[in-house]
């Protein structure tokens, strides 16, 4: 490698290193709180580090210290199930819609797209109560399916926009080839377009997963059994009217974020590798 | 380049499919059906109290065979969950809540009479204040007295071996590096004792605003003195107060029993009622909250529920609860063997406390009072005139937030609605030329693709929004809304009679919101794009590690990180100021000025949001064909030209929806503003949505008003998008 | 069905097909008939609607009016998958997520062909196209020519009634193109399917086609055997489109004289070929292909004198560019034997083989012998 390339690499790593520090510094505070027996220090020190490291807060957050470890596990499974199902469902519903918006001409397309954007503009200040009413009418209260449906619906608009843009970037000949090869239009979507749009699908799914994984207001309102709670609800239990148990809260938050990061680390190659290269001339 | 091994697509499909199956299975296999005749109890307790209640429930179930289900609900969701659930008959049979909310629950029809659970002859078993607040003017019981909540002085007996006889004495006991006293100096609830000592009350008769005049002025001047002389730490919140006490940096604190129960074992402390304030005419009595067992309407025909509630509040059960809370019963306090010393002190303190008003207006005083306190704390000079000006301003805010008797005849609204529908129908009819219908028929195939998404979005997103929007034409609390026509809108758009660009006015808040949105989106996109470009360099090492570390801000729940940010910006103890001090700069009082508080909010939100943008752009970058870039290289493009002429234009189609949606979301992103600056100073950093939330949840629960804000926000965004579309169309 | 029985049935017919995108008409009243086993080539200028016609036949675009028949059935409303066709796209359209092997097998899998048969057909096709070493690669790991062959292979394994090609060779270098061109024709003859092939390379068009169909602005200008189009173009457009170098034009006038009909060009008289029969006295556009002009010799008397401006020596023949003195200032190209050494500024005596003269009406630009 030439000196120039070395210098360049150095600059890139420095920039990325700075970004990593920016990204991690506040989280180190959370880590410190999570590992401190007596909460956060008050010295106003610059480098966060637990002075008396202990796993006590983790034991409290996971309910191990109160003998509710099994319940926590169940709630973890709830979260995982709800978030994965939300990811799958929102992608499954958004993909055909996005495909139609990207490729098929139909009456009301522009209006529909605009209306979809409009739904995102309305703040949800006053819509929680009607939503509760609706889901109770549908007998979906206290059920994970209810949460999945509500989360998926709210993740849909973004998913549709994202996938529509991704589908438009895929050469139309690919589907046509599949259709000539004997696929129906829907078959071409499933067998050719979706695999070719895998990065976008993954990003969309990740987004839906994250929004469900961290949501708590709706979950706390809709779920009325402890076994049905998701992790954010459990975490939020550490916040009271006048004071909060920050130690367990921070510990729980870290635990909650570990699976997400693990999924991202493992899946990122899939998430972020170009696929359409080589499909058409060039 | 690396040679790619052939992939086995079935592997990926199998994985995806089994994941799908697992998820569907888990979702479908919901919890087992609950026992038929069970009793459901909801509460928002934590820690020792939660355990005590759980044990009592289990014990009752064991003794009587009645199934008891106890649910601990997060406090933040408690009130809204209760009112939604009980109204739909999905809620608990019994729940525990503070007496302040009793009257509004009653008005909403969420309660059943508790006569059987709290018969007349039980009255003397409970603390007399508790008995009183549990019954209405006619003596009918609406709840069962359960526990008392209030603050007391908790003293570190090592740092302060001698219990202070007065606040003045307490304040004088100065040690190096130790605050004599710590309390939430900017909380109205904890400030109340000073106000009471100087003869004031937060809420006067007829819902009059009480934080004015001599008593209020003297109380805030006193509190300001405590802080400015370094006796009391500046701007501490509950967590920090607890922190200071635990790390022995505060000799005494004003706090509730929660702090005590979480102290490490063998911590040297003692609890006493607040000592007298010699400078003031009265005692510094804190607020008292009585927690009640409340029965919901569906229990009216279920005597077993009343029996359970009565047992839960009985002396027998109280003996078990008394370790965890200040029970409202009299009898256990006579039995020294069961009562922990600290609880006894809290009980004594509670007996001297002043029950909080049950008026809905009470909750609406917090915001203006706290603003006034903060204002005085931060004012450069605090002579009487300055304080009075601040108090007058806070009073004006309270008054202007007061619900107004707006009522309008619905006729005009109905006529307008009818006309609107008619015009829409005509417009649709006109558009519906034969070609339109043949077009619709030809689109049938495409509709099959969008039908599920359309139904889902319409039912679960649009309908609730429309229902919410309809509320904007109504005024008053949720259970007795009256039709107000455009009253709410007129109010908002005229800034409720105040100056049009005054703090908290619609227009000023709009400007802040626009600045907030622009700042955030610009930084999100710049940082996200920059990092994505760096990360997509083909020869970069450790890419995966970088990417994963950089999404950490997205992965950690934002609630906790936003609060970590708030802590980092604390003037005295925050890391940011610590860094500033290290490099020799002056520390900044971040939340005292608009610009710095705004910057703190933006810093937090940018931090929270850039990973998302980065991931979206990384995904979009994969669609930029390599050969085009190579062609550009050959054409002699510089890296910048390559980016600006090729990469960026090719990214744009996928970037635009993310940026537009990002902008819309940021426009409506209230929780960062809530959690970090909390609107400080003086609501100046509030954006439109956080303002809307305040109307819905703190200012007299005026949902209609909040809904009108929401509709206006929607209108602004809609208009902006229309204008930008037109502008775009013209420019191309 | 075996190839031999297919040969009997008329395979594909396009009847009165029109196609418009929004308001712009791209195809108008196109009719084509392709016999089973025939090789039809569509040519035309860029943007004239070749791809659109092909895509409409494939069922990828619904026609605005008209119908498409295959094997005696009206397939206008059928989706592409039900038409038993295979198509090679202008841009190849390989499935980016599938290996070459899976790309080839894709269509067969969709049709639930037994696995053994899939393996057999894929290996047959890959052997035929020399893809054996590439079977496990992804499309992005292939060169342009290799991608092209995979695209062909994908069509071949299907053994459909009909092959559709959309300029499949436009990405290849000249040598490879010539090679694959021959390959395609051989494959066609071997497979026995009916082929509709789009190109704008006239060498491809002339060498591959049984039937050549020239499109102009969305309508069929002329259709027939390639040589028929070349020798008897119905319009100036066709005459100009085919042939390289292009046909030469001279302005003339039909004259009656005692010796019969002749064309007066710049004071010289040119005999009208017999097939024109009787013509009125009128101005005409005279078309003369470069190889129908030659240096004057004993067989071919001098007709005009050429002022040479430019000379292309290709080795096996030489094209001389110049103007004919006294016959207007149109540039004329003449093919001469390579043994002639001509340079700029020379004058060259030119003779004409009159039996090949093409006559067009200068206003309608139709051939004077064209059926009306
Ligand atoms: N989807 C479409 N919408 C509108 N116009 C179109 C569409 N597709 C093609 N056209 C127009 O129809 C005309 C014919 O296009 P077509 O692709 O058939 O040309 P072509 O003969 O294949 O050209 P080339 O040789 O360059 O490939 C062109 O003018 C083109 O601009
Ligand atoms: Mg074409």
């Amino acid at each position: 490698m030439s000196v120039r390339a070395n210098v360049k690499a150095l600059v890139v790593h420095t920039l990325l290193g700075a970004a990593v520090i920016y990204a991690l510094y506040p989280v180190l505070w959370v880590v410190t709180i999570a590992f401190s027996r007596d909460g956060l220090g008050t010295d106003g020190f610059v480098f966060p580090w637990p002075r008396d490291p202990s796993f006590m807060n983790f034991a409290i957050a996971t309910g191990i210290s109160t003998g509710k470890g099994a319940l926590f596990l169940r709630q973890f499974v709830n979260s995982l199930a709800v978030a994965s199902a939300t990811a799958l469902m929102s992608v499954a519903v958004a993909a055909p819609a996005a495909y139609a918006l990207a490729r098929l001409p139909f009456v009301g397309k522009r209006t529909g797209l605009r209306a979809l954007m409009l739904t995102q503009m309305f703040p949800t200040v006053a819509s929680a109560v009607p939503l509760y009413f609706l889901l109770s009418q549908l007998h979906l209260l206290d059920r994970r399916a209810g949460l999945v449906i509500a989360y998926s619906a709210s993740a849909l608009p973004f998913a549709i926009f994202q996938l529509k843009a991704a589908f438009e970037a895929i050469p139309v000949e690919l589907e046509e080839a599949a259709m000539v090869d004997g696929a129906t239009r829907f078959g071409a979507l499933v067998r050719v377009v979706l695999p070719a749009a895998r990065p976008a699908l993954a990003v969309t799914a990740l987004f839906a997963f994250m929004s469900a994984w961290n949501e708590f207001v709706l979950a706390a309102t809709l779920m009325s059994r402890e076994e049905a709670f998701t992790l954010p609800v459990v975490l939020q239990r550490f916040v009271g009217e006048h004071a909060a148990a920050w130690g367990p809260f921070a510990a729980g938050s870290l635990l909650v974020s570990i699976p997400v990061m693990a999924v991202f680390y493992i899946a990122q190659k899939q998430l972020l590798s170009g696929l359409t290269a080589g499909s058409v001339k060039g | 380049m690396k040679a790619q091994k052939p992939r086995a697509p079935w592997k990926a499909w199998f994985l995806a499919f089994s994941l799908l199956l697992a998820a569907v299975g888990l979702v479908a296999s919901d919890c087992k059906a609950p026992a038929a005749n069970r009793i459901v109890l909801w509460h928002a307790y934590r820690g020792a109290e939660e355990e005590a209640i759980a044990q009592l429930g289990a014990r009752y179930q064991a003794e009587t065979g009645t199934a008891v289900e106890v649910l601990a609900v997060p406090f933040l969701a408690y009130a809204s969950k209760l009112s939604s659930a009980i109204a739909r008959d999905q809620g608990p049979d019994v729940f525990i809540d503070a007496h302040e909310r009793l009257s509004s629950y009653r008005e909403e029809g969420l309660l059943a009479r508790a006569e059987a659970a709290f018969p007349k002859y039980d009255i003397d078993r409970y603390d007399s204040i508790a008995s009183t607040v549990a019954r209405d003017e006619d003596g009918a019981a609406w709840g069962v007295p359960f526990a008392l909540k209030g603050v007391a002085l908790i003293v570190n007996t090592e740092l302060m071996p001698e219990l202070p006889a007065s606040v003045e004495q307490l304040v004088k006991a100065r040690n190096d590096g130790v605050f004599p006293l710590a309390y939430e100096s900017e909380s109205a609830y904890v400030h109340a004792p000073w106000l009471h000592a100087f003869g004031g009350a937060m809420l006067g008769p007829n819902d009059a605003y009480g934080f004015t005049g001599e008593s209020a002025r003297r109380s805030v001047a006193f509190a300001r003195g405590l802080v400015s002389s370094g006796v009391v730490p500046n701007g501490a919140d509950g967590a920090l107060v607890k922190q200071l006490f635990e790390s022995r940096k505060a000799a005494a604190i004003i706090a509730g029993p929660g702090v005590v129960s979480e102290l490490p074992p063998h911590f040297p402390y003692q609890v006493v009622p607040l000592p007298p304030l010699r400078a003031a005419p009265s005692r510094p009595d804190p607020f008292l909250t009585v927690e009640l067992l409340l029965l919901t309407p569906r229990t009216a025909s279920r005597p077993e529920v009343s029996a359970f509630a009565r047992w839960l509040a009985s002396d027998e059960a109280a003996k078990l609860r008394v370790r965890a809370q200040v029970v409202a019963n009299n009898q256990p306090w006579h039995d020294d063997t069961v009562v922990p010393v600290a609880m006894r002190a809290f009980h004594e303190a509670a007996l001297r406390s002043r029950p909080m008003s049950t008026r809905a207006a009470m909750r609406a005083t917090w915001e203006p009072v706290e603003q006034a306190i903060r204002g005085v704390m931060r004012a450069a000079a605090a002579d009487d005139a300055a304080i009075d000006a601040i108090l007058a301003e806070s009073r004006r805010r309270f008054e202007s937030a007061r619900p107004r008797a707006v009522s309008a005849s619905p006729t005009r609204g109905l006529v307008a609605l009818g006309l609107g529908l008619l015009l829409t129908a005509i417009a649709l009819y006109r558009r519906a030329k034969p070609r339109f219908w043949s077009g619709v028929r030809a689109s049938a195939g495409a509709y099959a693709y969008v039908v599920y998404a359309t139904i889902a979005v319409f039912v679960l997103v649009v309908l609730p929004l429309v229902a919410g929007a309809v509320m904007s034409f109504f005024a008053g609390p949720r259970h007795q809304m009256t039709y107000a026509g455009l009253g709410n809108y007129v109010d908002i758009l005229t800034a409720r009679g105040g100056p049009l660009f005054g703090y908290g006015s619609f227009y000023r808040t709009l400007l802040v919101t626009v600045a907030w949105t622009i700042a955030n989106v610009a930084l999100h996109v710049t940082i996200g794009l920059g990092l994505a470009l760096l990360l997509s360099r083909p020869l970069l090492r450790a890419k995966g590690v970088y990417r994963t570390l950089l999404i950490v801000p997205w992965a950690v729940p934002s609630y906790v990180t936003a609060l970590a940010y708030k802590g980092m910006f604390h003037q005295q103890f925050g890391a940011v100021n610590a860094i500033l001090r290290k490099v020799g700069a002056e520390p900044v009082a971040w939340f005292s000025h608009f610009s710095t508080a705004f910057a703190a909010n933006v810093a937090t939100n940018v931090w929270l949001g850039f990973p998302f943008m980065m991931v979206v752009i990384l995904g979009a970058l994969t669609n930029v064909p390599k050969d085009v870039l190579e062609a550009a290289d050959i054409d002699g493009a510089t890296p910048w030209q390559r980016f600006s002429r090729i990469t960026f234009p090719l990214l744009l189609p996928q970037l635009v929806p993310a940026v537009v949606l990002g902008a819309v979301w940021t426009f409506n992103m209230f929780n960062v503003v809530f959690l970090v600056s909390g609107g400080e100073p003086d609501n100046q950093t509030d954006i439109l949505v956080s303002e809307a939330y305040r109307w819905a949840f703190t200012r007299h629960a005026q949902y209609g008003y909040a809904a009108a804000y929401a509709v206006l926000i929607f209108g602004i965004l809609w208009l902006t998008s229309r204008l930008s579309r037109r502008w775009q169309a013209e420019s191309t | 069905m075996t190839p031999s029985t297919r040969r009997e049935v008329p395979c594909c017919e396009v009847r009165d097909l029109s196609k418009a995108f929004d308001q712009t008409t791209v195809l108008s009243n196109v009719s084509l008939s392709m016999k089973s086993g025939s090789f039809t080539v569509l040519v035309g200028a860029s943007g004239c609607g070749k791809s659109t016609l092909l895509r409409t036949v494939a069922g990828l675009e619904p026609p605005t009016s008209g119908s498409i028949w295959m094997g005696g059935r009206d397939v206008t409303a059928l989706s592409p998958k039900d038409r038993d066709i295979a198509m090679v796209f202008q841009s190849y359209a390989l499935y980016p997520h599938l290996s070459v092997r899976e790309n080839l097998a894709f269509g067969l899998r969709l049709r639930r062909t037994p696995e053994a048969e899939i393996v057999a057909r894929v290996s047959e096709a890959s052997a035929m196209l020399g893809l054996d070493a590439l079977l496990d690669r992804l499309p992005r790991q292939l060169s342009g020519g290799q991608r092209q062959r995979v695209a062909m292979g994908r069509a071949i394994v299907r053994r459909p009634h009909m092959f559709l090609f959309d300029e499949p060779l436009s990405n290849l270098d000249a040598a490879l193109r010539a090679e694959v061109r021959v390959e395609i024709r051989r494959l066609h003859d071997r497979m026995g399917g009916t082929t509709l092939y789009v190109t704008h390379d006239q060498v491809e068009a002339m060498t591959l086609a049984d039937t050549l169909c020239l499109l102009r602005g969305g309508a069929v200008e002329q259709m027939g055997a390639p040589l028929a189009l070349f020798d008897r173009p119905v319009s100036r457009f066709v005459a100009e489109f085919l042939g390289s170098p292009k046909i030469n034009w001279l302005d003339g006038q039909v004259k009656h004289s005692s010796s019969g009909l002749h064309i007066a060009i710049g004071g010289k008289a040119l005999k009208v070929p017999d097939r024109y029969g009787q013509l009125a006295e009128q101005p005409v556009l005279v078309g003369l292909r470069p190889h129908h002009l030659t240096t004057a010799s004993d067989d071919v008397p001098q007709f005009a004198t050429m002022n040479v401006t430019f000379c292309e020596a290709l080795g096996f023949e030489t094209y001389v560019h110049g103007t004919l003195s006294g016959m207007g200032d149109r540039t004329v190209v003449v093919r001469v034997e390579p043994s002639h050494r001509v340079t700029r500024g020379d004058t060259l005596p030119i003779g004409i083989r009159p039996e090949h003269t093409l006559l067009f009406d200068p206003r309608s630009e139709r051939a004077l012998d064209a059926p009306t």
Side-chain angles (χ1 to χ4, degrees), chain A residues 38 40 44 107 198 223 237, chain B residues 7 45 81 243 447 578:
Chain A
D38 55 353
L40 193 55
V107 176
R198 209 160 54 191
M223 306 308 242
R237 285 277 308 131
Chain B
R7 293 192 203 172
Y45 285 142
K81 185 175 169 76
Q243 207 76 65
Y447 291 150

Side-chain angles (χ1 to χ4, degrees), chain A residues 74-187:
Chain A
R74 189 179 169 127
Q75 289 159 336
F76 175 81
V77 171
N78 280 344
S79 269
L80 202 62
V82 168
S84 334
T86 302
L88 286 171
M89 176 127 156
S90 52
V91 168
V93 175
Y99 177 76
L101 289 168
R103 288 282 201 260
L104 306 178
F106 60 90
V107 176
K109 178 157 143 178
R110 278 210 321 188
T111 322
L113 267 173
R114 282 185 198 164
L116 202 62
M117 183 53 94
L118 292 186
T119 60
Q120 299 299 291
M121 297 179 176
F122 209 104
T124 50
V125 188
S127 66
V129 177
L131 191 61
Y132 184 93
F133 175 84
L134 211 80
L135 286 168
S136 86
Q137 280 309 47
L138 298 171
H139 297 286
L140 285 172
L141 287 183
D142 239 348
R143 301 177 142 229
R144 284 177 285 205
L147 272 189
V148 170
I149 288 174
Y151 289 160
S152 310
S154 62
L156 267 184
F158 173 77
I160 291 176
F161 283 119
Q162 195 63 23
L163 290 181
K164 174 179 171 278
F167 290 160
E168 276 165 355
I170 292 175
V172 74
E173 287 93 341
L174 282 187
E175 300 143 63
E176 293 178 345
M179 276 153 63
V180 170
D181 270 351
T184 56
R185 194 173 260 289
F186 190 74

Side-chain angles (χ1 to χ4, degrees), chain B residues 74-268:
Chain B
F75 171 75
L76 277 174
Y78 195 48
S80 72
K81 185 175 169 76
L82 273 173
S83 46
S84 320
I86 299 173
R88 298 288 307 154
D89 201 17
Q90 301 278 357
D93 302 303
V94 191
F95 65 98
I96 301 169
D97 211 336
H99 77 275
E100 302 103 85
R101 288 190 264 273
L102 177 65
S103 56
S104 68
Y105 284 143
R106 260 177 64 196
E107 286 166 20
E108 280 186 68
L110 300 181
L111 297 185
R113 291 272 285 265
E115 225 57 72
F118 182 29
K120 276 242 161 58
Y121 52 82
D122 270 0
I123 286 182
D124 292 335
R125 285 182 36 195
Y126 303 106
D127 177 72
S128 64
I129 295 176
S131 287
T132 315
V133 297
R135 291 175 173 271
D136 62 17
E137 310 78 52
D138 307 327
W142 286 95
V144 189
F146 196 64
L148 308 175
K149 282 279 150 68
V151 293
L153 190 70
I154 308 171
V155 180
N156 182 322
T157 48
E158 259 171 28
L159 296 172
M160 196 175 280
E162 203 179 324
L163 287 180
S166 68
V167 175
E168 281 84 355
Q169 192 187 338
L170 165 72
V171 161
K172 267 196 230 104
R174 304 190 80 153
N175 259 329
D176 243 5
V178 176
F179 292 105
L181 175 66
Y183 72 98
E184 283 183 72
S185 55
E186 294 175 0
S187 145
Y189 185 83
V190 192
H191 181 84
W194 309 144
L195 180 68
H196 295 157
F198 288 102
M202 289 282 178
L203 197 69
N206 297 324
D207 289 352
Y209 187 60
F211 203 65
T212 61
E214 172 82 13
S215 56
R217 178 177 358 106
R218 290 184 65 189
S219 76
V220 279
F222 172 70
R224 179 184 153 101
L226 290 180
V227 171
S228 62
S229 60
V231 169
V232 167
N234 184 5
D237 57 5
L240 184 60
V241 168
K242 183 172 160 235
Q243 207 76 65
L244 289 167
F245 191 66
E246 281 176 352
S247 54
R248 298 165 206 239
K249 295 230 167 57
I253 58 171
I254 301 175
V259 172
V260 169
S261 68
E262 284 168 21
L263 283 176
H266 312 302
F267 195 90

Side-chain angles (χ1 to χ4, degrees), chain A residues 26-83:
Chain A
V27 176
L28 286 185
W29 283 102
V30 179
V31 173
T32 306
I33 300 171
F35 280 100
S36 301
R37 189 189 296 279
D38 55 353
L40 193 55
T42 49
D43 300 337
F45 53 96
V46 174
F47 297 105
W49 198 252
R51 283 170 308 176
D52 180 14
S54 102
F55 281 97
M56 195 184 66
N57 289 325
F58 288 89
I60 297 174
T62 52
I64 291 173
S65 62
T66 48
K68 284 179 155 182
L71 181 65
F72 184 83
L73 206 64
R74 189 179 169 127
Q75 289 159 336
F76 175 81
V77 171
N78 280 344
S79 269
L80 202 62
V82 168

Side-chain angles (χ1 to χ4, degrees), chain C residues 19-22 24-27 43-55 61 90 166-167 198-200 215:
Chain C
K19 171 74 192 173
F21 291 108
D22 295 324
T24 48
T25 304
V26 175
L27 295 176
V43 286
S46 183
C48 70
K50 304 180 296 290
S51 296
T52 307
L53 177 55
L54 198 74
R55 292 162 51 81
E61 300 281 357
Q90 200 165 356
D166 194 350
E167 304 193 28
V198 168
T199 181
H200 48 214
L215 283 185

Side-chain angles (χ1 to χ4, degrees), chain B residues 631-638 641:
Chain B
D633 267 348
I634 290 166
D635 287 347
T638 62
Q641 285 170 331

